[in-house]
Amino acid sequence: MNHAASVAHGVADIHPSSLRSAEDGIYRRISWRVMPIVLVAYVFAFLDRINVGYAQLQMKQDLAFSDAIYGLGAGLFFVTYLLFEVPSNLLLEKIGARLTFLRIMVLWGLASSATAFVTEPWQFYGVRLLLGMFEAGFFPGIILYLTYWYPSHRRGRVTGLFLFGMPITGVLGGPLSGMIMGGMEGMAGMHGWQWLFIVQGLPTVLIGFLLYRLLPNKPAEAPWLSDAEKAHVQSVLDADHKADAKSGHRGKLAAALSDPKTYVLAFVYFCCACAVYTVTFWLPTMIKGLGVSSIGAIGWITAIPYVFGAFGVLVISRSSDRFKERRWHVGGTLVVGAAALFGTSFLGTAFAPVMLLLCFAAFFIFGGGSLFWSIPPTYLSRDAAAAGIAVISSLGILGGFVSPTVIGWIKSLTGSIQMGLGALTALVIVGGLTILIALPKSAVRVGSDA
């Protein structure tokens, strides 16, 4: 018996209640060391992805861009994002998480800042394609990285904590974007929207170096865990993955790529992405349509639905872990959130009712969308996880292309986003129903109790 195995064996001899308490203590320390820097990095990732939604309030007029040009440019990000996700995740397994995240964050921070200097549609399209290529791999890489630390029964809450960065970005990003665009307009001869991309893009480069410095690749490399703790974490992960063999899944990459349920999950994520990016890319425009003209005020008001979205992430992921149930917590919330979002299109410019429905929609859309990512890592075998997660993310993220492109095109034709909201809402409802009907409970493992 090697040293790590003997240590783990010794730990396993402890009374079960004491062992559980000790294990909880280990994971509290892991969470305090890993999750804050991961959360900060994702906040900057999501901010650099969606700040174009705030910038368009000025840049469309300054550059004479139509809604169709804006929508296409916003969506093109996801085309190259799709193409480079799988290679990035496979590279992560070879060179490690730290180098992968450093490369990703430095390049996307520079590309995001470069958006400040576009003057023509083709330049806007090009920089968005570059941003998608450079950022590809960060999100599925983090999802994969969390599987190196947390077993399935702990992953719902921790995945929710990571994806808490989405609504938090909206809470902070709206007021911050409004202040930058309003307060820095004309400084050094540049528009506020140009400063927005620079001020929010360059710090990402520094965060990349911070992440490289602070994050270990795996528990075995963590200097703040003892040998016994490292061995225990590994034994917990090994025991968790024994379910792969029990459920009959082959531990081969081909198994993930040939399994129809992989593509069911990709479709569900596609619908999640449509819902999330409908909110993130068009919320400032929807608020402006309620009669709010001040950019600063729009920034502060957009924060309100994101506050509810943040609560949704925490409440729904905690409820899912407590009841050890995933399908209804994801599918049901998507249906409810999409219906609420579509309901806003029938209320005209009635500020209070529209805001109430937007808050309701954000609670369920962000809550269900974030919890979705606790399903693929537990469904896929350990060997297939790296490519499988990336395949699901790559195909599903096309929702981020479809959502702004379709709504922008329809808005240019009709002057309203109502028909676009209707089409995308129907699609999201289908996605919610799909996970309930097409994905059996046996395919979604939540610890040993599923």
Side-chain angles (χ1 to χ4, degrees):
M1 183 180 296
N2 61 36
H3 176 67
S6 64
V7 171
H9 180 74
V11 172
D13 289 336
I14 302 174
H15 190 274
S17 61
S18 299
L19 180 62
R20 178 63 186 226
S21 178
E23 183 179 306
D24 288 343
I26 294 172
Y27 274 101
R28 276 195 297 271
R29 193 176 330 138
I30 289 173
S31 294
W32 276 110
R33 292 278 190 165
V34 171
M35 295 310 300
I37 183 62
V38 164
L39 179 59
V40 168
Y42 190 56
V43 165
F44 277 89
F46 205 68
L47 186 61
D48 284 344
R49 188 180 301 181
I50 69 170
N51 56 13
V52 69
Y54 298 99
Q56 59 111 356
L57 297 174
Q58 287 183 344
M59 71 183 297
K60 284 193 304 185
Q61 180 178 352
D62 291 337
L63 302 179
F65 285 1
S66 67
D67 287 310
I69 289 173
Y70 162 71
L72 178 58
L76 281 175
F77 166 93
F78 298 97
V79 175
T80 44
Y81 192 97
L82 179 156
L83 296 174
F84 287 91
E85 272 193 298
V86 172
S88 180
N89 247 30
L90 294 177
L91 183 63
L92 184 150
E93 286 206 312
K94 291 185 177 181
I95 68 173
R98 297 167 68 226
L99 279 174
T100 297
F101 297 146
L102 175 64
R103 180 258 306 170
I104 288 173
M105 296 191 72
V106 168
L107 291 177
W108 107 50
L110 295 175
S112 181
S113 299
T115 311
F117 304 104
V118 303
T119 58
E120 300 290 339
W122 68 267
Q123 295 171 340
F124 181 49
Y125 299 154
V127 78
R128 292 292 293 178
L129 288 168
L130 285 175
L131 185 62
M133 179 175 68
F134 293 149
E135 192 181 323
F138 178 78
F139 177 80
I142 291 292
I143 296 296
L144 177 63
Y145 181 72
L146 294 179
T147 69
Y148 296 163
W149 297 84
Y150 296 93
S152 61
H153 64 277
R154 295 180 182 271
R155 210 172 289 143
R157 191 175 303 178
V158 77
T159 302
L161 180 59
F162 162 56
L163 292 173
F164 190 59
M166 279 195 297
I168 284 296
T169 304
V171 172
L172 301 177
L176 177 62
S177 297
M179 287 188 291
I180 292 172
M181 291 171 66
M184 301 185 73
E185 174 68 27
M187 187 178 295
M190 293 197 299
H191 295 291
W193 65 267
Q194 293 176 295
W195 282 112
L196 176 67
F197 288 115
I198 294 171
V199 171
Q200 294 182 353
L202 290 181
T204 304
V205 177
L206 300 178
I207 297 296
F209 284 100
L210 182 64
L211 188 148
Y212 177 80
R213 176 69 178 83
L214 296 179
L215 280 189
N217 283 315
K218 292 185 177 181
E221 299 178 18
W224 32 266
L225 289 178
S226 68
D227 288 344
E229 290 168 337
K230 293 175 184 177
H232 182 67
V233 169
Q234 189 59 51
S235 68
V236 169
L237 294 173
D238 290 341
D240 187 60
H241 279 282
K242 287 180 181 178
D244 291 337
K246 294 178 181 179
S247 59
H249 297 313
R250 291 171 290 165
K252 301 287 187 181
L253 173 59
L257 298 177
S258 62
D259 193 328
K261 293 188 178 69
T262 299
Y263 302 98
V264 171
L265 291 176
F267 173 71
V268 173
Y269 180 52
F270 172 85
C271 297
C272 292
C274 282
V276 167
Y277 289 107
T278 296
V279 175
T280 55
F281 284 137
W282 290 103
L283 183 58
T285 300
M286 295 171 73
I287 300 299
K288 186 177 181 179
L290 297 177
V292 183
S293 57
S294 166
I295 290 178
I298 291 173
W300 283 101
I301 293 172
T302 56
I304 298 173
Y306 282 111
V307 170
F308 283 83
F311 280 115
V313 171
L314 295 179
V315 171
I316 292 172
S317 62
R318 184 176 292 268
S319 173
S320 177
D321 275 359
R322 179 183 178 186
F323 291 101
K324 298 187 181 300
E325 197 286 325
R326 300 286 192 240
R327 292 159 62 248
W328 281 98
H329 279 80
V330 175
T333 55
L334 283 177
V335 171
V336 173
L341 185 62
F342 184 48
T344 63
S345 64
F346 295 99
L347 298 177
T349 58
F351 184 86
V354 170
M355 287 300 299
L356 181 63
L357 276 184
L358 285 174
C359 292
F360 195 76
F363 181 92
F364 288 102
I365 286 172
F366 283 104
S370 65
L371 182 64
F372 167 82
W373 280 107
S374 64
I375 295 176
T378 56
Y379 168 71
L380 301 171
S381 68
R382 179 183 298 184
D383 292 338
I389 291 170
V391 168
I392 292 168
S393 180
S394 296
L395 296 177
I397 204 64
L398 279 176
F401 171 75
V402 170
S403 170
T405 303
V406 169
I407 291 180
W409 178 68
I410 291 176
K411 188 172 184 294
S412 290
L413 289 178
T414 67
S416 169
I417 66 173
Q418 182 176 15
M419 290 181 61
L421 277 181
L424 291 172
T425 297
L427 181 63
V428 173
I429 291 176
V430 171
L433 296 176
T434 296
I435 200 168
L436 297 175
I437 297 171
L439 198 67
K441 183 180 179 181
S442 60
V444 186
R445 175 167 47 86
V446 188
S448 59
D449 296 318

